[in-house]
Amino acid sequence: MNVDRVQVLAHRIAAHGLHRTEADAAGLAVFDLGLQDSMRDTALLGLVARLDGAVTPQSLVDDQRLALAWSHRGAPHFHRRAELAEVTASLVPLDEADALARMLWQRKQLRETGLDALDVLFTTARAIRKVVKGPMTKGAVSTAITEILPPAFSRWCRGCNATHIYEQLMRIATPHAGVRLEADQSPATLAPLEGRGPIRTKPDVAAATRVVERYLRINGPAAPGDAAGYVGTTRTVLDRMWPGELAEVRVDGKRAFLPADLLPALENPPEPDLVRLLPPWDPFIQARDKAVLVPDPARQKEVWRMLGNPGVLLAGGEIAGTWRTKSAGKRLAFTITAFDPLHPAAREAAEAEATRIATARGFASPTVTWLP
C-alpha cells in the first residue's frame, strides 16, 4: 500500500481516540502504551482532548485503575495498574548496549564504576527498594541511596548544590525496584508498589516486543528507528524486539510498518474534521517521525523546542499551530499561534477547546489571544 502523510495522520488521529468515541478513560488506546505526565496537567489535558465528559485532576488521581510510574525513557506515565508488572518486565534491558542506551551514559562514565551497565542498573534498583518503605520525596530517596551506592553512581549537581545519583539512572531503576510515583504530588513522591514481587533481572523479549507493537498501533505506520527512539534504545537492539505480523507500506515513498490487521483502518480512516488543543508531550506528538507530523523544519522547531515545549493546535488533520497558557488570578490566558490563517469555524472550535481545558484545570472562562 502506498499512502501519503495526510492519510497517515488521519489514521493516527482515529487510533489515538481524538474523535472522542470512547467514554471511559482507562479504556482509551493511549493507555495501552501509557499516558505521559511530564508537565503540569499534561495527562489530564490528554484526556480532555479524548473524552467527551468532564475530566478533573482529582478524577484522574482517584481512578484506582491507573497508576503513575517512571517507565518509557524514564518519563512519568500513567499506566493501567493491572499492567504495571508487564510494563516493568518490558523495561528490563535486553543486553549491555540496551542498558547503556537507556541510562544515557557515556562509556567513560560506565568505566569509572568498574561494573557493567546491567550491574549498575540493578544495584541502584536494590538500593531504592531498600530505602523506599513508604511514601518519600524524590529528594529524600536520592539522598539516601547516594549514601549507600558507590561514588561513581553520583555527580555534583550545581542546581541543588549537592552530590546525588544520576537523574536518569534513578528514573530507570525505580520501576525495577517495585516503586511507583504518587499522583498529583509536588515535589515528586515515591512509594512502594502494592504486591510487588522480587526484582526481575531476566529480559522479557515478548514484553518488550509488545511495547513496540503498541507504538506501531497508535503511531504507525512507522520505521524501526522511530520505535527505537520511543523506547529509548539503539536501532540494533530494536531489531530483537521487532514484532511479527507487520505489513510494510510506503509513506510518501519511504518504508514504514504497522500491524497487518490495521491495513483496512489505514486505507479508509475517518475524516479528521476536528479541532483539538493537545498538551506538550501528548502521545500524538510523541511519534518520532517529525517530518510526517510537521513537514516544515522551521515549524518543527516551534513544536519541539530544546526547553519548554508548547501545546499544539490540531485542526483539519494537521498540526496547525501551537498554544501556551498563563494564569492570571482566576482566569487562564491562552495564546494560540496559527501557522496559517484558519477558517473562523476552526478558531471558534479552538476557543471552545480552550474553555474545556480551563474548566478541567479549575479556572473560569479563559481569554484567548490569537497570533499570526
Side-chain angles (χ1 to χ4, degrees), residues 12 21 86 91 264 268 341:
R12 289 185 188 175
T21 56
E86 180 182 342
L91 299 173
N268 188 31

Side-chain angles (χ1 to χ4, degrees), residues 290-292 294-305 339:
K290 294 179 181 179
V292 172
V294 182
D296 187 335
R299 292 178 176 180
Q300 289 178 18
K301 293 178 181 178
E302 294 302 313
V303 173
W304 296 281
R305 304 181 70 87
F339 291 148

Side-chain angles (χ1 to χ4, degrees), residues 37-62:
D37 195 40
S38 291
M39 298 175 65
R40 176 173 173 79
D41 295 328
T42 298
L44 171 72
L45 302 189
L47 294 184
V48 170
R50 290 167 172 81
L51 296 177
D52 229 356
V55 184
T56 67
Q58 202 58 43
S59 66
L60 181 60
V61 173
D62 290 346

Side-chain angles (χ1 to χ4, degrees), residues 345-362:
R347 290 168 66 105
E348 183 178 340
E351 292 177 9
E353 292 299 303
T355 298
R356 285 173 55 87
I357 287 173
T359 301
R361 292 185 59 186

Side-chain angles (χ1 to χ4, degrees), residues 5 9 13 18 20 49 272-282 284-285 293-294 299 302-304 309-324 334-355 357 368-372:
R5 55 171 296 278
L9 292 183
I13 286 168
L18 289 166
R20 289 181 181 149
D273 51 350
L274 51 81
V275 174
R276 300 287 183 265
L277 294 180
L278 303 182
W281 306 110
D282 186 86
F284 184 79
I285 52 177
L293 293 173
V294 182
R299 292 178 176 180
E302 294 302 313
V303 173
W304 296 281
N309 282 354
V312 301
L313 166 64
L314 186 65
E318 294 280 357
I319 292 179
T322 61
W323 62 274
R324 294 184 183 275
F334 282 75
T335 300
I336 305 178
T337 304
F339 291 148
D340 296 303
L342 288 177
H343 191 279
R347 290 168 66 105
E348 183 178 340
E351 292 177 9
E353 292 299 303
T355 298
I357 287 173
V368 179
T369 301
W370 287 87
L371 297 179

